[in-house]
Amino acid sequence: MTKELLDAAIEIARIGGDHTLNYFKKDIHIISKDDDTPVTIADRETEQILRKEILSRYPDHGIVGEEFGTTNEDSNITWVLDPIDGTKSFIHGVPFYTTLIGVLMDHEPVVGIIYAPALDELCAAGIGLGATFNGNPCHVSETKELSEATFLVTEIDRFREMGQQELFQELLDRTRLHRTWGDAYGHMMVATGRADLMYDPELNIWDAAALLPVVQEAGGVFSDVKGEQTIHSGNGYSTNEFLYPELKKIFEEYISE
């Protein structure tokens, strides 16, 4: 079943993600949601396309999407959708946005897709099936020392807003290189061995559902700040197995209960 869902999710992610290219680098209307984050017609149309494709194949499956809520919430199989993760990048014509699909069975992730349409980069994974990058097996880095690591985040200001300035400075001081190639694209960078640590201090379920299968099946670790490998905590970081023990200690030191 997982292989069938993985193959379907890859196809559906490409259909939805490719639709975003109709609006990429175009002058489009931007709407501010209640939380002051932006949304566009591209986000909403793409989610509608994803939902239509899923329900045409699996009418009894549940769907949770950023833009249109929950469908068939009692199903034990749920598709979790973020049509455009990194809307700010999308709006500014930056190609590091992604279309995300996660599939949960009994609330736990079994399939993850991270698709960057503007770059034609797609990471896909199913639990027990490995991870691929554009169809070829991919793996996290083998960096063993934090002092040699590349550290990614999305927005530096988020650390101040979350009261995590000291944690950010510690990670900055302990790593070799810092860049803001963030959102889900940063986690895909880790899964493909192009970066060593990506941390999101705040994640919704539609942000996180695709990440754990991809990173885990690429040989890495997707963990919350308390050391639990889960998508349900509202935060998360991706890294490799060598750096994880040291990072776990750092997060435990700086993140209070």
Side-chain angles (χ1 to χ4, degrees), residues 163-179:
Q164 297 182 16
Q165 303 98 312
E166 291 184 1
L167 169 63
F168 175 70
Q169 190 60 51
E170 177 76 9
L171 293 171
L172 201 64
D173 290 344
R174 298 280 291 275
T175 52
R176 178 180 64 86
L177 182 66
H178 161 247
R179 291 290 184 269

Side-chain angles (χ1 to χ4, degrees), residues 13-243:
R14 285 197 178 276
I15 291 169
D18 289 349
H19 181 74
T20 68
L21 297 174
N22 295 323
Y23 294 99
F24 186 54
K25 296 185 178 179
K26 305 287 176 60
D27 185 14
I28 57 176
H29 181 58
I30 301 165
I31 305 162
S32 290
K33 295 193 283 190
D34 291 342
D35 62 359
D36 218 24
T37 57
V39 66
T40 70
I41 187 173
D43 295 82
R44 292 178 173 174
E45 283 187 2
T46 299
E47 184 168 322
Q48 288 172 331
I49 289 169
L50 294 171
R51 286 173 175 269
K52 181 179 178 181
E53 290 290 334
I54 293 163
L55 293 175
S56 70
R57 304 166 195 232
Y58 305 105
D60 297 328
H61 285 192
I63 299 175
V64 175
E66 181 175 9
E67 305 305 330
F68 295 105
T70 303
T71 301
N72 295 338
E73 62 183 344
D74 294 329
S75 176
N76 72 317
I77 299 179
T78 303
W79 296 66
V80 185
L81 312 176
D82 191 346
I84 298 179
D85 181 80
T87 299
K88 293 177 182 177
S89 292
F90 176 81
I91 289 168
H92 288 88
V94 177
F96 298 145
Y97 75 92
T98 57
T99 296
L100 302 180
I101 295 180
V103 183
L104 314 184
M105 296 184 70
D106 298 321
H107 308 292
E108 293 304 318
V110 295
V111 165
I113 311 293
I114 307 173
Y115 177 39
L119 298 171
D120 193 24
E121 295 184 358
L122 188 147
C123 248
I127 296 299
L129 299 174
T132 60
F133 179 61
N134 287 354
N136 298 309
C138 65
H139 202 276
V140 296
S141 73
E142 296 186 359
T143 302
K144 295 180 174 63
E145 301 294 334
L146 204 54
S147 60
E148 296 298 317
T150 297
F151 166 41
L152 308 182
V153 297
T154 301
E155 295 178 354
I156 295 171
D157 278 353
R158 185 61 55 86
F159 288 88
R160 175 180 52 79
E161 294 166 2
M162 301 287 291
Q164 297 182 16
Q165 303 98 312
E166 291 184 1
L167 169 63
F168 175 70
Q169 190 60 51
E170 177 76 9
L171 293 171
L172 201 64
D173 290 344
R174 298 280 291 275
T175 52
R176 178 180 64 86
L177 182 66
H178 161 247
R179 291 290 184 269
T180 51
W181 297 320
D183 300 305
Y185 189 76
H187 295 275
M188 182 161 69
M189 292 276 284
V190 173
T192 53
R194 296 176 287 175
D196 308 294
L197 168 63
M198 168 68 199
Y199 173 45
D200 269 309
E202 189 171 22
L203 287 172
N204 292 300
I205 186 69
W206 47 80
D207 301 313
L211 305 181
L212 186 148
V214 167
V215 174
Q216 182 173 301
E217 289 298 308
V221 179
F222 179 81
S223 174
D224 71 4
V225 298
K226 295 182 180 179
E228 294 185 40
Q229 295 177 41
T230 176
I231 64 169
H232 300 292
S233 297
N235 59 72
Y237 63 95
S238 297
T239 190
N240 68 36
E241 61 182 348
F242 301 112
L243 300 178

